[in-house]
Amino acid sequence: MAVWIQAQQLQGDALHQMQSLYGQHFPIEVRHYLSHWIESQLWDAIDLENPQEEFKAKRLLESLIQELQNKAEHQVGEDGFLLKIKLGHYANQLKSTYDRCPLELVRCIKHILYTEQRLVREATNSSSPVGGMLDSMSQKYQQINQAFEELRLLTQDTENDLRKLQHNQEYFIIQYQESLRIQAQLSSLAALPPADRQLREPTLLSKRATVEAWLTREANTLQKYRLDLAEKHQKTLQLLRKQQTIILDDELIQWKRRQQLAGNGGPPEGGLDILQSWCEKLAETIWQNRQQIRRAEHLRQQLPIPGPIEELLNELNSTITDIISALVTSTFIIEKQPPQVLKTQTKFAATVRLLVGGKLNVHMNPPQVKATIISEQQAKALLKNENTRNDSSGEILNNNCVMEYHQTTGTLSAHFRNMSLKRIKRSDRRGAESVTEEKFTILFESQFSVGSNELVFQVKTLSLPVVVIVHGSQDNNATATVLWDNAFAEPGRVPFLVPDKVLWPQLCDAINMKYKAEVQSNRGLSEENLVFLAQKAFSSSSNNPDDYRSMTMTWSQFNRESLPGRNFTFWQWFDGVMELTKKHLKPHWNDGAILGFVNKQQAQDMLMSKPNGTFLLRFSDSEIGGITIAWVAENPNKAGERMVWNLMPYTTKDFSIRSLADRISDLNHLLFLYPDKPKDEVFSKYYTPPLSKAVDGYVKPQIKQVVPDFATANPDPTSGNPTYMDQGASPAPVNHHHPYNMYQNIADPILDAEGDFDLDDTMDVARHVEELLRRPVESQWGGQQS
């Protein structure tokens, strides 16, 4: 169902939020009459941070205006005449608004569509029986909105009381002036004759007594009003603190945690629209109360009355300043984190945002943000408010950026697009720690004022930990450091402490999340896969998942100590599997064609019960980023005996020459993918189409792989003679070797020590044939002149 149709069914606060998206910048009538056209455009295909995309945005603006004009021209009747004029007016209005900045139109419409989809999704989930968690979320949001309503009423109440106090005080001052005038008249009676003085004095004395009695009584009343108002402000500030704690210490921290997990491949952290709206409501309410407290202080200064009110007002003013300071400093956040594995001399980006910037009019004097890279120790000192003397641990180019205000979305942000780490200064490392375990962070800082320079704020925020590398070979280990930190960091930690050991199920969650994200697959790691990994990690033979639930894995076991009998760590092996699958095996993994996490003995046990020619694909135990084919067949050295064979593992280098599907197609002795699927049924859709005929007198060579002793003869229809080559546009290289035993004949150059087939020799022959075929056809077969 179209989003606009569902959006029109929203009710209550959701409907109000949807309506507030529209205005002069984008009329709701345009959304209504062009709903289908708007929702069919590829708004997300335009990168708002790339000025070169402005041409695309311009075309969309022109198309939008044309659609509006077409809609206007087709209006008929009396009502149609009015709508025709209105739509034409909107077309001109949008052209004048966005003609010079078409990217802002895209930003506006993307914001509208995103918010509508969110509101519809929330409304749908709240009425769904499976939306239990979302129900609780909606309930929490409802409580936050109710608290804001209570704050609004309290603020309105204190505003009314303040006006009443001001009115009473102004009348009190008038009466006080009257008492001074009476006193002056009494003083002037001394110059009059006694008879006149006696005639006028009693009246003035009586009047003075009445006024003074009123003043005394009214002064007490004013003092009570002031105390009552201060107590109401105390109640408001208590609720404000509570509401701010929920939003900043719960909701914003949870968003940051989701952002951190997104760095490990978790779901996106979600937009900041709701959080910004809450923070803006906080800012507005805090500022209104701050102004009220300042007005109350001004009234006290105008008419000092002895009592505790001066101390109370000072306390309120201090409290409200603390509250707004906490809000401003906490809402200076990193919307888009810099890369956590940061390579020197490489361009990178980040976005910093001030959630309350628009509400506090900070953009009237746009602040500048500076980015600096600092070490873990410097970050600790910074959070302790120790003097770091503006130290940095490196030099970042293009590290200054001015915050920009986007009118349509109300966001104030700084987009660092072209930063580059020129150099890094490392600290002395601890013990066995390597350079890829050393953590840094990007410090973003700025200064700005609010309220006509009434308050000046210095704000700072730290990025997630980054690991600096100078060569791509360090990426693997740096990623491990980042993965461990993102997965197991606790909120509010001292930078950048993480547990040295974690429960195995916790690590399983982390690596499963990472695997699905890297491979871009919904098929994650099964319980059987995780048992295999546990066996590898702990050198265990148990197949029971429960045996590993209470076991812990240390950082050293994860990526510092090599696996038994290997020269690589657990993580390095697992990361190699991810890289290989991501680059070359993703469709086959998604199809379920790759079992992958199976060791050699398990593969043998599984295949021996299957017919000859049954095969499976498993990740190599002995090589990083390798996958091998295991199959069951007759033992050529022993009649009637069957055994399981394993090819030497394929790596990324091999698949850059010929794909897995084509390699499986080449091997005619492979018949069924375990357990019993014909291989063509699984892999044929990935086979490379046959080569075209020769052109310009040249025949294009083709590489195919053949396993000696398993090359099946295919009949040649022209000669009737069997050949080891599949029919094709060019001969396929064949390597003839002596028969071999998988486990016994170790000296065979094609095999490794475990009897696995080595493809390198056959590839050498293939390259030789390819070189021969590059020669002109005439010299080979007496064809055309080349």
Side-chain angles (χ1 to χ4, degrees):
M1 188 187 297
V3 175
W4 181 241
I5 295 174
Q6 295 174 297
Q8 293 175 76
Q9 299 170 8
L10 294 172
Q11 297 178 352
D13 185 56
L15 179 61
H16 177 73
Q17 287 186 54
M18 187 270 285
Q19 291 171 336
S20 67
L21 295 170
Y22 299 95
Q24 291 295 319
H25 62 283
F26 197 82
I28 196 169
E29 291 89 343
V30 176
R31 175 71 175 101
H32 180 73
Y33 288 104
L34 298 186
S35 60
H36 177 72
W37 182 87
I38 288 172
E39 292 179 33
S40 65
Q41 305 308 303
L42 301 175
W43 304 103
D44 286 332
I46 296 181
D47 181 5
L48 296 174
E49 310 308 327
N50 185 358
Q52 296 179 355
E53 299 274 66
E54 190 167 303
F55 177 71
K56 293 182 186 177
K58 186 87 169 178
R59 286 195 301 179
L60 278 170
L61 171 62
E62 292 169 353
S63 299
L64 173 66
I65 293 169
Q66 186 62 50
E67 288 290 326
L68 266 178
Q69 291 171 341
N70 293 343
K71 180 68 74 172
E73 289 174 3
H74 288 85
Q75 302 304 315
V76 295
E78 184 177 343
D79 293 337
F81 173 73
L82 296 176
L83 183 58
K84 181 176 184 177
I85 294 176
K86 183 178 282 190
L87 293 178
H89 169 71
Y90 289 149
N92 294 331
Q93 177 181 313
L94 290 171
K95 181 173 176 59
S96 62
T97 302
Y98 296 109
D99 197 44
R100 294 184 179 180
C101 52
L103 284 171
E104 285 302 306
L105 172 71
V106 177
R107 190 188 303 276
C108 169
I109 294 179
K110 285 175 73 171
H111 172 68
I112 286 172
L113 291 175
Y114 170 80
T115 307
E116 285 180 352
Q117 288 166 357
R118 175 180 58 78
L119 291 171
V120 166
R121 188 168 60 248
E122 289 174 357
T124 304
N125 288 333
S126 65
S127 60
S128 169
V130 297
M133 188 172 71
L134 291 168
D135 280 345
S136 63
M137 189 179 295
S138 299
Q139 188 176 4
K140 182 167 58 176
Y141 287 2
Q142 186 177 0
Q143 290 171 351
I144 290 174
N145 290 331
Q146 286 174 348
F148 273 124
E149 178 62 17
E150 186 178 350
L151 281 167
R152 187 188 68 79
L153 294 174
L154 285 171
T155 304
Q156 185 61 52
D157 188 34
T158 49
E159 176 65 27
N160 294 336
D161 286 357
L162 187 60
R163 288 176 181 173
K164 182 179 178 181
L165 173 62
Q166 183 176 353
H167 175 75
N168 289 353
Q169 182 166 312
E170 288 170 352
Y171 187 66
F172 180 90
I173 291 172
I174 291 172
Q175 293 301 107
Y176 180 73
Q177 294 296 326
E178 176 66 15
S179 73
L180 293 179
R181 190 179 65 81
I182 293 171
Q183 184 61 42
Q185 288 177 342
L186 283 170
S187 299
S188 67
L189 291 179
L192 296 177
D196 290 343
R197 188 168 67 245
Q198 289 176 359
L199 180 65
R200 300 177 60 184
E201 190 174 48
T203 303
L204 289 172
L205 287 172
S206 174
K207 196 171 183 180
R208 185 181 70 176
T210 302
V211 171
E212 286 182 347
W214 184 90
L215 287 173
T216 301
R217 186 173 64 252
E218 192 62 20
N220 291 330
T221 302
L222 286 175
Q223 185 73 312
K224 185 177 183 304
Y225 280 173
R226 289 177 176 180
L227 290 171
D228 289 347
L229 180 61
E231 288 175 0
K232 285 186 177 182
H233 273 131
Q234 283 179 326
K235 181 180 178 182
T236 302
L237 298 193
Q238 285 175 356
L239 185 55
L240 263 174
R241 272 194 187 279
K242 181 180 177 182
Q243 182 80 328
Q244 184 159 296
T245 298
I246 292 172
I247 292 170
L248 299 184
D249 294 354
D250 293 345
E251 298 301 315
L252 185 56
I253 293 296
Q254 287 179 24
W255 181 88
K256 289 181 178 180
R257 179 59 182 154
R258 292 195 299 272
Q259 185 185 54
Q260 191 172 25
L261 289 176
N264 276 4
E269 61 269 31
L272 287 164
D273 293 345
I274 294 179
L275 274 169
Q276 175 162 317
S277 68
W278 288 342
C279 291
E280 287 180 338
K281 285 181 181 179
L282 278 173
E284 185 176 19
T285 307
I286 292 169
W287 197 256
Q288 287 173 349
N289 279 273
R290 184 175 185 275
Q291 295 304 101
Q292 288 180 9
I293 292 168
R294 288 170 65 84
R295 282 160 57 196
E297 171 65 20
H298 181 66
L299 290 176
R300 188 201 66 78
Q301 291 172 350
Q302 277 186 329
L303 183 62
I305 300 174
I309 190 64
E310 181 177 1
E311 185 178 341
L312 278 173
L313 286 173
N314 287 338
E315 184 181 326
L316 287 171
N317 198 40
S318 175
T319 301
I320 198 79
T321 302
D322 288 344
I323 291 174
I324 196 169
S325 295
L327 177 66
V328 172
T329 55
S330 297
T331 55
F332 182 64
I333 64 171
I334 302 172
E335 182 176 8
K336 179 186 177 185
Q337 291 280 341
Q340 288 186 263
V341 176
L342 193 57
K343 191 169 180 286
T344 55
Q345 311 295 334
T346 303
K347 189 172 75 170
F348 67 96
T351 301
V352 179
R353 180 164 163 182
L354 182 63
L355 297 179
V356 295
K359 186 60 66 175
L360 296 180
N361 292 322
V362 175
H363 57 282
M364 302 304 288
N365 185 20
Q368 181 166 287
V369 184
K370 179 182 178 182
T372 313
I373 188 164
I374 62 175
S375 68
E376 184 174 328
Q377 293 301 321
Q378 289 166 339
K380 289 178 184 176
L382 183 73
L383 293 184
K384 291 179 181 177
N385 292 320
E386 295 177 2
N387 184 14
T388 58
R389 303 187 307 280
N390 296 319
D391 286 344
S392 71
S393 290
E395 181 183 352
I396 299 178
L397 303 178
N398 303 317
N399 66 329
N400 287 285
C401 185
V402 175
M403 300 196 88
E404 300 175 357
Y405 183 69
H406 303 283
Q407 186 75 38
T408 52
T409 57
T411 59
L412 181 71
S413 54
H415 301 278
F416 292 84
R417 296 179 177 87
N418 296 296
M419 287 191 288
S420 176
L421 182 58
K422 184 178 180 182
R423 61 178 180 84
I424 191 67
K425 181 171 63 178
R426 299 191 182 275
S427 60
D428 294 332
R429 292 186 294 282
R430 302 180 292 266
E433 187 181 78
S434 67
V435 293
T436 54
E437 294 179 41
E438 186 178 4
K439 300 172 191 173
F440 297 87
T441 180
I442 309 294
L443 165 66
F444 295 93
E445 51 189 337
S446 183
Q447 178 175 309
F448 51 84
S449 60
V450 298
S452 302
N453 295 323
E454 287 179 29
L455 296 173
V456 178
F457 295 101
Q458 288 187 335
V459 293
K460 301 178 181 181
T461 187
L462 296 175
S463 75
L464 293 172
V466 300
V467 177
V468 177
I469 64 173
V470 296
H471 192 274
S473 62
Q474 298 172 308
D475 184 82
N476 175 291
N477 293 322
T479 301
T481 301
V482 167
L483 174 79
W484 191 277
D485 192 278
N486 285 345
F488 309 122
E490 295 180 357
R493 62 167 172 176
V494 175
F496 289 107
L497 294 181
V498 282
D500 183 61
K501 62 181 179 180
V502 296
L503 287 170
W504 173 250
Q506 291 178 287
L507 185 61
C508 288
D509 290 341
I511 59 178
N512 186 37
M513 180 186 293
K514 184 71 173 176
Y515 187 86
K516 288 200 292 186
E518 287 295 311
V519 180
Q520 297 178 337
S521 172
N522 290 325
R523 182 191 169 201
L525 302 175
S526 66
E527 187 169 67
E528 292 78 10
N529 298 156
L530 295 172
V531 167
F532 169 88
L533 292 173
Q535 291 172 338
K536 180 176 287 290
F538 300 115
S539 300
S540 169
S541 59
S542 172
N543 290 318
N544 187 354
D546 293 333
D547 291 345
Y548 302 105
R549 298 199 193 283
S550 60
M551 294 184 70
T552 58
M553 191 169 191
T554 66
W555 164 252
S556 292
Q557 289 173 299
F558 183 66
N559 196 47
R560 192 177 282 172
E561 302 168 358
S562 294
L563 291 169
R566 307 296 183 196
N567 61 354
F568 48 79
T569 66
F570 173 84
W571 164 256
Q572 288 167 347
W573 180 88
F574 182 78
D575 186 59
V577 165
M578 282 197 304
E579 280 296 302
L580 181 71
T581 307
K582 175 173 70 173
K583 291 179 179 177
H584 300 287
L585 309 177
K586 181 167 67 174
H588 308 303
W589 173 262
N590 289 337
D591 289 347
I594 297 175
L595 290 179
F597 299 97
V598 176
N599 63 38
K600 185 173 286 188
Q601 185 60 50
Q602 289 171 331
Q604 181 163 329
D605 294 342
M606 294 164 70
L607 290 170
M608 286 302 288
S609 63
K610 298 299 176 183
N612 286 346
T614 304
F615 68 99
L616 59 78
L617 297 156
R618 65 177 189 84
F619 297 122
S620 170
D621 281 319
S622 58
E623 185 165 353
I624 293 178
I627 189 169
T628 185
I629 300 175
W631 75 95
V632 63
E634 296 292 336
N635 183 349
N637 296 324
K638 205 165 188 180
E641 181 180 291
R642 301 192 324 143
M643 60 186 301
V644 172
W645 307 78
N646 292 273
L647 277 182
M648 279 286 284
Y650 300 125
T651 63
T652 290
K653 179 182 175 182
D654 300 312
F655 291 134
S656 64
I657 298 171
R658 191 152 174 78
S659 71
L660 174 65
D662 286 340
R663 290 177 183 274
I664 290 173
S665 175
D666 291 344
L667 302 178
N668 294 323
H669 63 278
L670 301 183
L671 304 176
F672 304 102
L673 177 68
Y674 182 89
D676 54 10
K677 289 186 178 178
K679 73 173 183 182
D680 288 344
E681 182 182 310
V682 180
F683 295 100
S684 61
K685 58 185 173 183
Y686 302 112
Y687 294 162
T688 301
L691 294 174
S692 59
K693 294 182 179 179
V695 292
D696 298 330
Y698 288 96
V699 177
K700 189 172 182 181
Q702 179 178 352
I703 296 175
K704 290 191 177 184
Q705 70 168 353
V706 175
V707 178
D709 301 324
F710 288 96
T712 305
N714 288 339
D716 186 334
T718 59
S719 65
N721 296 324
T723 175
Y724 282 108
M725 298 177 289
D726 289 338
Q727 297 176 41
S730 65
V734 180
N735 223 353
H736 295 283
H737 287 277
H738 298 293
Y740 58 87
N741 295 325
M742 173 164 279
Y743 301 102
Q744 292 82 3
N745 193 359
I746 298 174
D748 194 313
I750 303 179
L751 304 179
D752 69 356
E754 296 177 320
D756 288 343
F757 174 65
D758 189 346
L759 188 63
D760 288 344
D761 288 340
T762 56
M763 294 311 302
D764 288 340
V765 176
R767 293 186 188 99
H768 178 64
V769 173
E770 185 176 358
E771 181 62 31
L772 287 172
L773 293 175
R774 287 201 183 99
R775 300 175 187 173
V777 175
E778 182 184 28
S779 64
Q780 297 279 336
W781 293 285
Q784 298 174 347
Q785 182 75 25
S786 61

